[in-house]
Protein backbone atom coordinates (compact mmCIF):
# COMPACT_ATOMS: atom_id res chain seq x y z
CA UNK A 1 0.00 0.00 0.00
CA UNK A 2 1.01 3.57 -0.53
CA UNK A 3 0.97 4.16 3.20
CA UNK A 4 3.63 1.47 3.77
CA UNK A 5 5.80 2.79 0.93
CA UNK A 6 5.63 6.25 2.43
CA UNK A 7 6.84 4.87 5.78
CA UNK A 8 10.04 3.28 4.25
CA UNK A 9 12.99 5.63 4.88
CA UNK A 10 14.69 6.85 1.69
CA UNK A 11 18.32 7.80 1.42
CA UNK A 12 18.66 11.52 1.21
CA UNK A 13 20.49 12.82 -1.89
CA UNK A 14 24.11 13.79 -1.14
CA UNK A 15 24.81 17.41 -0.56
CA UNK A 16 27.41 19.13 -2.76
CA UNK A 17 29.89 19.02 0.12
CA UNK A 18 29.38 15.26 0.57
CA UNK A 19 29.78 14.67 -3.20
CA UNK A 20 33.05 16.53 -3.27
CA UNK A 21 34.18 14.56 -0.25
CA UNK A 22 33.40 11.22 -1.95
CA UNK A 23 35.28 12.29 -5.08
CA UNK A 24 38.24 13.38 -3.01
CA UNK A 25 38.29 10.04 -1.17
CA UNK A 26 38.30 8.19 -4.49
CA UNK A 27 41.15 10.35 -5.79
CA UNK A 28 43.19 9.78 -2.62
CA UNK A 29 42.65 6.04 -2.95
CA UNK A 30 43.89 6.17 -6.55
CA UNK A 31 46.93 8.20 -5.54
CA UNK A 32 47.77 5.68 -2.82
CA UNK A 33 47.68 2.91 -5.43
CA UNK A 34 49.91 4.91 -7.79
CA UNK A 35 52.40 5.61 -5.01
CA UNK A 36 52.65 1.90 -4.32
CA UNK A 37 53.67 1.31 -7.94
CA UNK A 38 55.98 4.30 -8.17
CA UNK A 39 57.95 4.17 -4.96
CA UNK A 40 61.03 6.41 -4.87
CA UNK A 41 59.82 8.23 -7.97
CA UNK A 42 60.54 5.33 -10.38
CA UNK A 43 58.35 5.44 -13.53
CA UNK A 44 55.73 2.72 -13.69
CA UNK A 45 57.03 1.58 -17.08
CA UNK A 46 60.38 0.68 -15.51
CA UNK A 47 58.90 -1.46 -12.75
CA UNK A 48 58.79 -5.23 -12.76
CA UNK A 49 57.25 -7.78 -10.41
CA UNK A 50 58.72 -11.21 -9.81
CA UNK A 51 56.06 -13.93 -9.67
CA UNK A 52 55.25 -14.98 -6.17
CA UNK A 53 56.93 -11.92 -4.70
CA UNK A 54 54.80 -9.36 -2.95
CA UNK A 55 57.48 -6.67 -2.85
CA UNK A 56 58.09 -4.65 -6.02
CA UNK A 57 61.50 -4.75 -7.72
CA UNK A 58 62.53 -1.48 -9.36
CA UNK A 59 64.42 -2.19 -12.59
CA UNK A 60 65.51 -0.36 -15.72
CA UNK A 61 66.24 -1.94 -19.09
CA UNK A 62 69.23 -0.68 -21.11
CA UNK A 63 68.82 -1.09 -24.88
CA UNK A 64 71.64 -0.70 -27.41
CA UNK A 65 71.49 3.04 -28.21
CA UNK A 66 71.72 4.68 -31.63
CA UNK A 67 74.84 6.78 -31.18
CA UNK A 68 74.76 8.24 -34.70
CA UNK A 69 71.97 9.13 -37.14
CA UNK A 70 73.02 6.34 -39.52
CA UNK A 71 73.70 3.65 -36.92
CA UNK A 72 71.56 0.54 -37.45
CA UNK A 73 73.72 -2.10 -35.77
CA UNK A 74 76.47 -1.96 -33.19
CA UNK A 75 78.72 -4.12 -31.06
CA UNK A 76 79.91 -3.94 -27.47
CA UNK A 77 83.69 -3.66 -27.76
CA UNK A 78 84.27 -4.00 -24.02
CA UNK A 79 82.26 -3.86 -20.81
CA UNK A 80 83.65 -1.43 -18.22
CA UNK A 81 81.39 -2.82 -15.49
CA UNK A 82 80.36 -6.30 -14.41
CA UNK A 83 77.26 -7.78 -12.82
CA UNK A 84 76.83 -6.47 -9.27
CA UNK A 85 78.79 -3.25 -9.81
CA UNK A 86 77.29 0.08 -8.72
CA UNK A 87 77.01 2.77 -11.40
CA UNK A 88 76.44 6.49 -11.07
CA UNK A 89 74.78 8.94 -13.49
CA UNK A 90 77.12 9.84 -16.37
CA UNK A 91 79.38 6.83 -15.78
CA UNK A 92 80.64 4.83 -18.78
CA UNK A 93 79.63 1.19 -18.60
CA UNK A 94 80.79 0.00 -22.06
CA UNK A 95 82.50 0.93 -25.33
CA UNK A 96 80.24 0.57 -28.37
CA UNK A 97 81.55 0.12 -31.92
CA UNK A 98 79.33 2.23 -34.19
CA UNK A 99 79.50 2.43 -37.96
CA UNK A 100 82.48 4.81 -37.77
CA UNK A 101 84.07 4.90 -34.31
CA UNK A 102 84.11 3.52 -30.79
CA UNK A 103 81.84 5.61 -28.54
CA UNK A 104 81.38 5.57 -24.76
CA UNK A 105 78.05 4.20 -23.51
CA UNK A 106 77.00 6.41 -20.60
CA UNK A 107 74.04 5.81 -18.29
CA UNK A 108 71.98 8.60 -16.80
CA UNK A 109 70.65 6.71 -13.77
CA UNK A 110 72.26 5.15 -10.73
CA UNK A 111 71.85 1.56 -9.66
CA UNK A 112 73.40 -1.89 -9.73
CA UNK A 113 73.95 -4.03 -12.82
CA UNK A 114 71.76 -7.09 -12.38
CA UNK A 115 72.36 -8.78 -15.74
CA UNK A 116 74.35 -8.42 -18.96
CA UNK A 117 72.68 -10.00 -21.98
CA UNK A 118 75.26 -9.27 -24.71
CA UNK A 119 78.83 -10.53 -24.89
CA UNK A 120 81.78 -8.47 -26.12
CA UNK A 121 82.13 -8.36 -29.90
CA UNK A 122 78.55 -9.46 -30.60
CA UNK A 123 76.92 -7.35 -33.33
CA UNK A 124 73.26 -6.55 -32.70
CA UNK A 125 70.57 -4.21 -34.05
CA UNK A 126 69.91 -0.89 -32.32
CA UNK A 127 67.34 -1.26 -29.55
CA UNK A 128 68.40 -4.75 -28.46
CA UNK A 129 68.33 -5.22 -24.70
CA UNK A 130 71.94 -5.34 -23.47
CA UNK A 131 71.72 -4.98 -19.67
CA UNK A 132 69.36 -4.74 -16.70
CA UNK A 133 69.78 -2.34 -13.75
CA UNK A 134 68.15 -2.39 -10.30
CA UNK A 135 67.97 0.47 -7.83
CA UNK A 136 68.53 -1.53 -4.62
CA UNK A 137 71.42 -3.90 -4.06
CA UNK A 138 69.08 -6.16 -2.10
CA UNK A 139 67.12 -6.82 -5.30
CA UNK A 140 70.10 -8.18 -7.26
CA UNK A 141 69.38 -11.88 -6.75
CA UNK A 142 65.67 -11.55 -7.53
CA UNK A 143 66.47 -9.44 -10.58
CA UNK A 144 68.90 -12.10 -11.83
CA UNK A 145 66.12 -14.67 -11.66
CA UNK A 146 63.83 -12.32 -13.52
CA UNK A 147 66.56 -11.61 -16.10
CA UNK A 148 66.80 -15.32 -16.90
CA UNK A 149 63.20 -15.28 -18.08
CA UNK A 150 63.62 -11.93 -19.86
CA UNK A 151 66.61 -13.06 -21.90
CA UNK A 152 64.73 -15.14 -24.45
CA UNK A 153 61.96 -12.57 -24.99
CA UNK A 154 64.47 -9.73 -25.27
CA UNK A 155 66.23 -11.45 -28.14
CA UNK A 156 69.56 -11.93 -26.36
CA UNK A 157 70.07 -14.32 -23.45
CA UNK A 158 73.10 -14.55 -21.18
CA UNK A 159 75.93 -16.60 -22.62
CA UNK A 160 75.39 -19.46 -20.20
CA UNK A 161 71.78 -19.89 -21.34
CA UNK A 162 72.15 -18.94 -25.01
CA UNK A 163 73.35 -22.34 -26.23
CA UNK A 164 70.41 -24.50 -25.06
CA UNK A 165 67.92 -21.79 -26.10
CA UNK A 166 69.48 -21.64 -29.56
CA UNK A 167 69.37 -25.42 -29.85
CA UNK A 168 65.62 -25.47 -29.17
CA UNK A 169 64.98 -22.60 -31.58
CA UNK A 170 67.08 -24.19 -34.32
CA UNK A 171 65.25 -27.52 -34.16
CA UNK A 172 63.11 -27.38 -37.31
CA UNK A 173 59.83 -29.01 -38.12
CA UNK A 174 60.07 -32.35 -39.91
CA UNK A 175 61.00 -31.42 -43.47
CA UNK A 176 59.34 -33.67 -45.95
CA UNK A 177 61.27 -32.19 -48.83
CA UNK A 178 64.60 -32.93 -47.18
CA UNK A 179 63.73 -36.49 -46.29
CA UNK A 180 62.92 -37.33 -49.88
CA UNK A 181 59.54 -35.76 -50.47
CA UNK A 182 58.07 -35.99 -53.94
CA UNK A 183 57.47 -32.22 -53.99
CA UNK A 184 59.48 -30.63 -56.80
CA UNK A 185 59.51 -27.29 -54.91
CA UNK A 186 61.79 -28.40 -52.09
CA UNK A 187 63.79 -31.38 -53.31
CA UNK A 188 67.50 -30.66 -53.20
CA UNK A 189 68.07 -32.50 -56.47
CA UNK A 190 65.82 -29.98 -58.26
CA UNK A 191 67.75 -26.94 -57.05
CA UNK A 192 70.20 -25.01 -59.16
CA UNK A 193 73.86 -25.51 -58.14
CA UNK A 194 74.28 -21.97 -56.78
CA UNK A 195 71.14 -22.29 -54.63
CA UNK A 196 72.16 -25.75 -53.43
CA UNK A 197 75.61 -24.51 -52.41
CA UNK A 198 74.14 -21.63 -50.39
CA UNK A 199 71.68 -23.90 -48.59
CA UNK A 200 74.35 -26.44 -47.75
CA UNK A 201 76.96 -23.87 -46.73
CA UNK A 202 74.60 -22.20 -44.26
CA UNK A 203 72.90 -25.46 -43.21
CA UNK A 204 69.46 -24.05 -44.14
CA UNK A 205 66.24 -26.04 -44.17
CA UNK A 206 64.85 -25.51 -47.70
CA UNK A 207 61.26 -25.72 -46.45
CA UNK A 208 61.82 -22.53 -44.43
CA UNK A 209 62.63 -20.51 -47.58
CA UNK A 210 59.79 -18.71 -49.35
CA UNK A 211 60.16 -19.56 -53.07
CA UNK A 212 59.56 -16.93 -55.74
CA UNK A 213 60.69 -18.87 -58.80
CA UNK A 214 58.47 -20.45 -61.44
CA UNK A 215 56.41 -23.41 -60.21
CA UNK A 216 57.49 -22.73 -56.64
CA UNK A 217 61.22 -23.27 -57.22
CA UNK A 218 63.69 -21.71 -54.79
CA UNK A 219 66.02 -19.20 -56.40
CA UNK A 220 69.42 -18.02 -55.24
CA UNK A 221 67.92 -14.60 -54.45
CA UNK A 222 65.36 -16.23 -52.14
CA UNK A 223 68.16 -17.80 -50.08
CA UNK A 224 70.19 -14.59 -49.97
CA UNK A 225 67.13 -12.62 -48.82
CA UNK A 226 66.47 -15.15 -46.05
CA UNK A 227 70.11 -15.01 -44.92
CA UNK A 228 70.01 -11.21 -44.84
CA UNK A 229 66.84 -11.10 -42.71
CA UNK A 230 67.57 -14.25 -40.70
CA UNK A 231 64.15 -15.70 -41.55
CA UNK A 232 65.13 -19.37 -41.96
CA UNK A 233 65.54 -22.58 -39.96
CA UNK A 234 68.65 -24.70 -39.75
CA UNK A 235 68.82 -28.45 -40.26
CA UNK A 236 69.46 -30.89 -37.42
CA UNK A 237 72.37 -33.34 -37.89
CA UNK A 238 69.89 -36.13 -38.73
CA UNK A 239 68.12 -34.01 -41.34
CA UNK A 240 71.43 -32.85 -42.77
CA UNK A 241 72.51 -36.47 -43.22
CA UNK A 242 69.14 -37.30 -44.80
CA UNK A 243 69.47 -34.34 -47.17
CA UNK A 244 72.93 -35.47 -48.26
CA UNK A 245 71.68 -39.00 -48.81
CA UNK A 246 68.66 -37.76 -50.77
CA UNK A 247 70.83 -35.60 -52.98
CA UNK A 248 73.28 -38.44 -53.72
CA UNK A 249 72.30 -41.23 -56.16
CA UNK A 250 73.22 -44.85 -55.42
CA UNK A 251 76.80 -45.79 -56.21
CA UNK A 252 75.66 -48.41 -58.71
CA UNK A 253 73.53 -45.95 -60.60
CA UNK A 254 74.87 -44.78 -63.98
CA UNK A 255 74.04 -41.25 -62.89
CA UNK A 256 76.51 -41.43 -60.02
CA UNK A 257 79.31 -40.02 -62.11
CA UNK A 258 77.20 -37.14 -63.41
CA UNK A 259 76.08 -36.21 -59.89
CA UNK A 260 79.65 -36.16 -58.58
CA UNK A 261 80.30 -32.58 -59.61
CA UNK A 262 77.18 -31.02 -57.98
CA UNK A 263 77.80 -33.19 -54.93
CA UNK A 264 81.29 -31.72 -54.52
CA UNK A 265 80.00 -28.18 -54.98
CA UNK A 266 77.36 -28.61 -52.31
CA UNK A 267 79.86 -29.55 -49.61
CA UNK A 268 82.03 -27.13 -47.71
CA UNK A 269 84.73 -25.78 -50.02
CA UNK A 270 87.82 -27.96 -49.49
CA UNK A 271 91.40 -26.70 -49.75
CA UNK A 272 92.74 -26.70 -53.33
CA UNK A 273 94.44 -29.90 -54.43
CA UNK A 274 97.79 -28.14 -54.90
CA UNK A 275 97.89 -27.19 -51.21
CA UNK A 276 97.31 -23.46 -51.66
CA UNK A 277 94.81 -22.08 -49.16
CA UNK A 278 92.96 -18.84 -48.50
CA UNK A 279 91.69 -16.79 -45.56
CA UNK A 280 88.15 -15.45 -45.15
CA UNK A 281 88.29 -11.95 -43.67
CA UNK A 282 85.05 -10.88 -41.93
CA UNK A 283 83.87 -7.37 -42.71
CA UNK A 284 83.99 -4.90 -39.83
CA UNK A 285 80.95 -2.76 -39.08
CA UNK A 286 82.72 0.27 -40.56
CA UNK A 287 83.58 -1.47 -43.82
CA UNK A 288 80.02 -2.73 -44.18
CA UNK A 289 78.72 0.83 -43.84
CA UNK A 290 81.36 2.19 -46.24
CA UNK A 291 80.47 -0.44 -48.85
CA UNK A 292 76.76 0.25 -48.51
CA UNK A 293 77.06 4.04 -48.74
CA UNK A 294 79.54 4.14 -51.61
CA UNK A 295 77.49 1.63 -53.59
CA UNK A 296 74.37 3.76 -53.07
CA UNK A 297 76.34 6.89 -54.01
CA UNK A 298 77.55 5.48 -57.32
CA UNK A 299 74.07 4.20 -58.15
CA UNK A 300 72.01 7.23 -57.12
CA UNK A 301 74.27 10.30 -57.37
CA UNK A 302 75.06 11.63 -60.88
CA UNK A 303 78.84 12.06 -60.66
CA UNK A 304 80.63 14.63 -62.81
CA UNK A 305 84.43 14.97 -62.91
CA UNK A 306 86.68 17.99 -63.50
CA UNK A 307 90.47 18.11 -63.22
CA UNK A 308 93.07 20.87 -62.96
CA UNK A 309 96.84 21.03 -62.40
CA UNK A 310 98.48 23.44 -59.96
CA UNK A 311 102.10 24.53 -59.67
CA UNK A 312 103.63 23.79 -56.28
CA UNK A 313 106.83 25.77 -56.81
CA UNK A 314 105.81 28.70 -54.59
CA UNK A 315 104.58 26.44 -51.76
CA UNK A 316 107.77 24.39 -51.87
CA UNK A 317 109.87 27.58 -51.82
CA UNK A 318 107.90 28.93 -48.85
CA UNK A 319 108.32 25.70 -46.91
CA UNK A 320 112.05 25.72 -47.64
CA UNK A 321 112.36 29.29 -46.39
CA UNK A 322 110.50 28.48 -43.18
CA UNK A 323 112.73 25.49 -42.52
CA UNK A 324 115.78 27.72 -42.99
CA UNK A 325 114.43 29.93 -40.20
CA UNK A 326 113.98 26.90 -37.91
CA UNK A 327 110.22 27.14 -38.22
CA UNK A 328 108.05 24.11 -38.69
CA UNK A 329 106.21 24.65 -41.97
CA UNK A 330 102.65 23.49 -42.65
CA UNK A 331 102.32 20.32 -44.68
CA UNK A 332 101.15 20.29 -48.28
CA UNK A 333 97.88 18.80 -47.08
CA UNK A 334 97.36 21.80 -44.77
CA UNK A 335 97.72 24.13 -47.75
CA UNK A 336 95.20 22.01 -49.70
CA UNK A 337 92.67 22.24 -46.86
CA UNK A 338 93.09 26.00 -46.52
CA UNK A 339 92.93 26.60 -50.28
CA UNK A 340 89.77 24.50 -50.56
CA UNK A 341 88.07 26.37 -47.72
CA UNK A 342 88.91 29.78 -49.19
CA UNK A 343 87.81 28.67 -52.67
CA UNK A 344 84.47 27.54 -51.21
CA UNK A 345 83.99 31.02 -49.77
CA UNK A 346 84.69 32.55 -53.17
CA UNK A 347 82.40 30.05 -54.94
CA UNK A 348 79.69 29.35 -52.34
CA UNK A 349 77.57 27.43 -54.85
CA UNK A 350 80.02 24.52 -54.45
CA UNK A 351 79.60 24.53 -50.66
CA UNK A 352 76.28 22.70 -50.60
CA UNK A 353 74.61 19.43 -49.74
CA UNK A 354 71.71 17.53 -51.30
CA UNK A 355 68.52 17.29 -49.25
CA UNK A 356 67.07 13.90 -50.17
CA UNK A 357 63.69 14.50 -48.54
CA UNK A 358 63.08 17.89 -50.17
CA UNK A 359 64.90 16.88 -53.39
CA UNK A 360 66.80 20.16 -53.63
CA UNK A 361 70.31 21.47 -52.89
CA UNK A 362 71.01 23.37 -49.68
CA UNK A 363 73.72 26.05 -49.58
CA UNK A 364 75.72 25.97 -46.35
CA UNK A 365 76.85 29.12 -44.56
CA UNK A 366 79.78 27.44 -42.79
CA UNK A 367 82.73 25.66 -44.40
CA UNK A 368 83.39 22.37 -42.61
CA UNK A 369 86.03 20.37 -44.46
CA UNK A 370 86.06 16.59 -44.03
CA UNK A 371 89.46 14.96 -44.58
CA UNK A 372 89.74 11.24 -45.31
CA UNK A 373 91.99 9.37 -42.86
CA UNK A 374 92.98 5.73 -43.34
CA UNK A 375 92.50 3.42 -40.33
CA UNK A 376 92.87 -0.38 -40.04
CA UNK A 377 89.07 -0.69 -40.18
CA UNK A 378 88.58 1.62 -43.19
CA UNK A 379 88.40 5.28 -44.11
CA UNK A 380 86.92 7.83 -41.73
CA UNK A 381 86.47 11.55 -42.41
CA UNK A 382 87.11 13.77 -39.35
CA UNK A 383 85.95 17.35 -39.81
CA UNK A 384 87.90 20.60 -39.57
CA UNK A 385 85.11 23.01 -38.74
CA UNK A 386 85.12 26.60 -40.04
CA UNK A 387 88.37 25.87 -41.86
CA UNK A 388 88.25 29.21 -43.69
CA UNK A 389 88.65 31.03 -40.36
CA UNK A 390 91.65 28.97 -39.18
CA UNK A 391 95.27 29.84 -39.76
CA UNK A 392 97.55 27.27 -41.38
CA UNK A 393 99.22 26.33 -38.10
CA UNK A 394 95.79 25.85 -36.47
CA UNK A 395 94.70 23.61 -39.34
CA UNK A 396 97.93 21.62 -38.97
CA UNK A 397 97.47 21.12 -35.20
CA UNK A 398 93.79 20.22 -35.53
CA UNK A 399 94.40 17.77 -38.36
CA UNK A 400 97.16 15.93 -36.48
CA UNK A 401 94.99 15.58 -33.38
CA UNK A 402 92.00 14.33 -35.36
CA UNK A 403 94.10 11.84 -37.33
CA UNK A 404 95.63 10.31 -34.19
CA UNK A 405 92.28 9.97 -32.43
CA UNK A 406 90.67 8.59 -35.60
CA UNK A 407 93.22 5.75 -35.74
CA UNK A 408 92.72 5.12 -32.01
CA UNK A 409 88.90 5.11 -32.48
CA UNK A 410 88.51 7.98 -30.04
CA UNK A 411 86.58 10.45 -32.21
CA UNK A 412 83.31 11.83 -30.94
CA UNK A 413 80.29 11.46 -33.26
CA UNK A 414 80.13 15.21 -33.91
CA UNK A 415 83.79 15.15 -35.03
CA UNK A 416 83.16 12.91 -38.06
CA UNK A 417 79.45 13.38 -38.85
CA UNK A 418 78.43 16.24 -41.08
CA UNK A 419 80.84 18.32 -43.10
CA UNK A 420 80.13 20.28 -46.26
CA UNK A 421 83.10 19.26 -48.45
CA UNK A 422 85.52 16.31 -48.46
CA UNK A 423 89.21 16.01 -49.38
CA UNK A 424 90.89 12.69 -50.13
CA UNK A 425 94.67 12.94 -50.56
CA UNK A 426 96.65 9.99 -51.91
CA UNK A 427 99.66 12.00 -52.99
CA UNK A 428 101.83 10.65 -50.17
CA UNK A 429 101.33 7.14 -51.61
CA UNK A 430 102.71 8.11 -55.01
CA UNK A 431 99.31 8.38 -56.71
CA UNK A 432 99.38 11.12 -59.34
CA UNK A 433 95.62 11.37 -59.91
CA UNK A 434 92.42 9.45 -59.18
CA UNK A 435 88.63 9.85 -58.94
CA UNK A 436 86.88 9.81 -55.57
CA UNK A 437 83.30 8.78 -54.80
CA UNK A 438 80.99 11.48 -53.38
CA UNK A 439 80.02 11.05 -49.74
CA UNK A 440 76.29 11.94 -49.54
CA UNK A 441 74.69 14.25 -48.62
CA UNK A 442 77.73 16.30 -49.59
CA UNK A 443 77.89 17.43 -53.20
CA UNK A 444 81.66 17.51 -53.79
CA UNK A 445 84.83 15.60 -52.98
CA UNK A 446 88.32 16.64 -54.08
CA UNK A 447 90.77 13.88 -55.02
CA UNK A 448 94.35 15.13 -54.55
CA UNK A 449 97.31 13.47 -56.24
CA UNK A 450 101.03 13.83 -55.65
CA UNK A 451 103.37 16.35 -57.19
CA UNK A 452 105.49 15.47 -60.21
CA UNK A 453 108.00 17.44 -62.26
CA UNK A 454 107.00 18.53 -65.75
CA UNK A 455 108.13 20.90 -68.49
CA UNK A 456 105.60 23.69 -69.09
CA UNK A 457 105.42 26.96 -70.99
CA UNK A 458 106.09 30.14 -68.98
CA UNK A 459 102.89 31.92 -67.82
CA UNK A 460 103.56 34.90 -70.09
CA UNK A 461 103.45 32.77 -73.23
CA UNK A 462 100.10 31.05 -72.90
CA UNK A 463 98.85 32.10 -76.37
CA UNK A 464 102.22 32.06 -78.13
CA UNK A 465 104.24 29.26 -79.61
CA UNK A 466 107.05 28.33 -77.23
CA UNK A 467 110.32 26.84 -78.38
CA UNK A 468 111.38 23.70 -76.49
CA UNK A 469 114.39 25.49 -75.00
CA UNK A 470 112.06 28.12 -73.52
CA UNK A 471 110.10 25.56 -71.51
CA UNK A 472 110.56 25.69 -67.75
CA UNK A 473 110.57 22.86 -65.22
CA UNK A 474 107.94 22.96 -62.51
CA UNK A 475 106.29 20.68 -59.96
CA UNK A 476 102.65 20.07 -60.83
CA UNK A 477 99.90 18.60 -58.69
CA UNK A 478 96.68 17.31 -60.29
CA UNK A 479 93.38 17.42 -58.43
CA UNK A 480 90.06 16.04 -59.60
CA UNK A 481 86.70 17.25 -58.33
CA UNK A 482 83.82 14.80 -58.21
CA UNK A 483 80.58 16.78 -58.03
CA UNK A 484 76.89 16.00 -57.80
CA UNK A 485 75.33 17.30 -61.02
CA UNK A 486 72.07 17.95 -59.19
CA UNK A 487 73.82 20.59 -57.07
CA UNK A 488 77.06 21.60 -58.79
CA UNK A 489 77.19 21.85 -62.56
CA UNK A 490 80.36 21.97 -64.66
CA UNK A 491 80.48 25.77 -64.68
CA UNK A 492 80.46 25.97 -60.88
CA UNK A 493 83.03 23.16 -60.65
CA UNK A 494 85.32 25.01 -63.09
CA UNK A 495 85.10 28.27 -61.11
CA UNK A 496 85.87 26.43 -57.88
CA UNK A 497 88.92 24.69 -59.35
CA UNK A 498 90.21 27.94 -60.84
CA UNK A 499 89.92 29.63 -57.45
CA UNK A 500 91.60 26.67 -55.76
CA UNK A 501 94.55 26.82 -58.16
CA UNK A 502 94.92 30.57 -57.62
CA UNK A 503 95.30 30.08 -53.86
CA UNK A 504 97.67 27.13 -54.26
CA UNK A 505 99.96 29.08 -56.58
CA UNK A 506 99.93 32.12 -54.27
CA UNK A 507 100.51 30.63 -50.78
CA UNK A 508 101.16 34.05 -49.21
CA UNK A 509 97.45 34.81 -49.67
CA UNK A 510 96.69 31.93 -47.27
CA UNK A 511 98.96 33.06 -44.45
Amino acid sequence: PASRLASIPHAAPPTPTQARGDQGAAMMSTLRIIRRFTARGTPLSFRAVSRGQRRMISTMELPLPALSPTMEVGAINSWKKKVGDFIEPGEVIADIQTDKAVVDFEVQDEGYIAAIFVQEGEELPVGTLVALIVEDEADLEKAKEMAASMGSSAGAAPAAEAAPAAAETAAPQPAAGVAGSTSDSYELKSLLPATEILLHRHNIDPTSIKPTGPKGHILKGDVLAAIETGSFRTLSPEQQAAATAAASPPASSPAAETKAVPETKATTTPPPADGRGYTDIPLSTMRKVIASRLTASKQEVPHAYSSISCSLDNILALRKAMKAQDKKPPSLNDFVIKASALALREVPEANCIWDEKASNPVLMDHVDVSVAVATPDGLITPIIKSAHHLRLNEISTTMKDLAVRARDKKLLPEEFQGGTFTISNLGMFGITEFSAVINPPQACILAVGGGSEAMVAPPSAVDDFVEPEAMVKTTLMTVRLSSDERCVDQAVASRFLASFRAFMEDPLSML
Side-chain angles (χ1 to χ4, degrees):
S3 58
R4 291 193 60 185
L5 290 175
S7 63
I8 297 176
H10 294 278
T15 64
T17 303
Q18 290 175 333
R20 287 194 297 269
D22 293 340
Q23 293 173 0
M27 291 177 63
M28 291 302 295
S29 177
T30 304
L31 288 174
R32 281 195 295 270
I33 294 174
I34 293 175
R35 289 194 186 99
R36 289 179 56 197
F37 283 87
T38 57
R40 296 180 299 277
T42 305
L44 187 60
S45 58
F46 291 145
R47 305 205 44 89
V49 185
S50 178
R51 285 188 178 180
Q53 302 293 334
R54 296 181 62 185
R55 192 170 66 84
M56 306 297 297
I57 300 176
S58 178
T59 64
M60 182 178 69
E61 299 176 358
L62 288 183
L64 183 67
L67 299 175
S68 70
T70 58
M71 179 177 170
E72 297 179 355
V73 296
I76 303 291
N77 265 18
S78 62
W79 284 102
K80 305 297 184 183
K81 297 289 183 178
K82 61 182 183 297
V83 174
D85 286 353
F86 178 74
I87 54 176
E88 297 179 348
E91 193 169 2
V92 176
I93 64 170
D95 290 336
I96 296 181
Q97 173 67 58
T98 68
D99 51 354
K100 283 291 187 179
V102 176
V103 183
D104 293 338
F105 182 13
E106 298 181 358
V107 294
Q108 304 303 321
D109 299 272
E110 67 176 25
Y112 296 85
I113 297 182
I116 292 177
F117 299 110
V118 178
Q119 303 304 312
E120 294 180 356
E122 188 176 356
E123 190 174 279
L124 297 166
V126 169
T128 302
L129 179 63
V130 297
L132 187 70
I133 294 177
V134 296
E135 287 191 357
D136 295 334
E137 187 175 9
D139 295 334
L140 278 174
E141 292 303 323
K142 295 176 182 177
K144 290 178 183 178
E145 297 176 3
M146 186 174 59
S149 62
M150 292 176 58
S152 58
S153 62
E161 302 169 5
E168 294 180 4
T169 306
Q173 300 286 337
V178 176
S181 167
T182 57
S183 171
D184 292 338
S185 300
Y186 296 110
E187 281 192 273
L188 288 180
K189 63 182 181 181
S190 66
L191 298 172
L192 294 175
T195 307
E196 187 175 354
I197 290 173
L198 278 175
L199 290 170
H200 190 92
R201 182 175 297 169
H202 295 276
N203 193 26
I204 296 176
D205 181 1
T207 61
S208 65
I209 304 297
K210 182 179 180 181
T212 61
K215 298 182 180 180
H217 280 69
I218 301 176
L219 305 179
K220 178 182 177 181
D222 302 334
V223 182
L224 292 175
I227 294 174
E228 183 177 355
T229 60
S231 57
F232 64 88
R233 296 191 304 270
T234 56
L235 295 172
S236 65
E238 294 79 9
Q239 289 176 320
Q240 190 175 9
T244 304
S248 304
S252 59
S253 171
E257 296 181 2
T258 61
K259 284 294 290 182
V261 174
E263 178 76 13
T264 303
K265 288 184 179 180
T267 58
T268 304
T269 307
D274 57 4
R276 294 180 298 174
Y278 61 90
T279 302
D280 287 328
I281 302 176
L283 277 180
S284 64
T285 303
M286 182 185 295
R287 290 194 182 276
K288 289 179 182 178
V289 174
I290 292 173
S292 173
R293 290 182 183 173
L294 294 189
T295 300
S297 176
K298 288 295 289 184
Q299 291 176 342
E300 300 171 5
V301 178
H303 284 58
Y305 304 97
S306 307
S307 302
I308 200 169
S309 295
C310 314
S311 173
L312 300 180
D313 290 345
N314 292 335
I315 290 180
L316 297 178
L318 177 61
R319 284 173 47 83
K320 184 177 180 180
M322 294 181 69
K323 288 180 179 178
Q325 298 176 6
D326 294 329
K327 296 181 180 179
K328 190 173 183 179
S331 67
L332 180 59
N333 197 54
D334 300 330
F335 282 101
V336 170
I337 295 171
K338 182 67 174 180
S340 299
L342 294 177
L344 289 171
R345 296 302 291 177
E346 284 197 353
V347 187
E349 297 89 345
N351 187 43
C352 65
I353 63 174
W354 176 257
D355 187 342
E356 192 65 38
K357 292 183 179 179
S359 296
N360 60 261
V362 179
L363 294 180
M364 309 303 291
D365 296 330
H366 50 282
V367 178
D368 294 341
V369 179
S370 304
V371 183
V373 174
T375 71
D377 291 331
L379 288 178
I380 189 170
T381 53
I383 303 170
I384 299 180
K385 297 185 178 181
S386 300
H388 58 293
H389 288 317
L390 300 180
R391 301 174 64 89
L392 281 167
N393 59 342
E394 294 174 324
I395 291 177
S396 178
T397 303
T398 304
M399 190 65 241
K400 289 177 182 176
D401 173 65
L402 291 173
V404 170
R405 290 194 289 117
R407 296 186 181 97
D408 294 339
K409 301 180 180 180
K410 297 298 183 183
L411 289 177
L412 300 175
E414 60 268 21
E415 292 178 321
F416 61 85
Q417 294 173 5
T420 62
F421 186 89
T422 298
I423 296 174
S424 181
N425 189 349
L426 296 181
M428 67 285 292
F429 299 107
I431 304 300
T432 55
E433 58 180 294
F434 67 102
S435 301
V437 181
I438 296 172
N439 184 24
Q442 296 179 12
C444 295
I445 181 171
L446 187 68
V448 182
S452 59
E453 293 186 345
M455 300 299 294
V456 298
S460 59
V462 174
D463 297 328
D464 301 330
F465 175 76
V466 180
E467 296 292 341
E469 58 272 11
M471 303 283 283
V472 295
K473 185 172 71 173
T474 185
T475 301
L476 291 179
M477 178 187 73
T478 300
V479 297
R480 179 170 297 160
L481 182 71
S482 303
S483 56
D484 186 344
E485 276 281 4
R486 298 171 298 181
C487 306
V488 179
D489 58 25
Q490 295 295 307
V492 174
S494 300
R495 289 193 289 117
F496 167 80
L497 290 175
S499 178
F500 173 81
R501 179 173 63 180
F503 283 113
M504 289 295 293
E505 295 182 351
D506 185 14
L508 294 179
S509 62
M510 295 186 282
L511 296 180

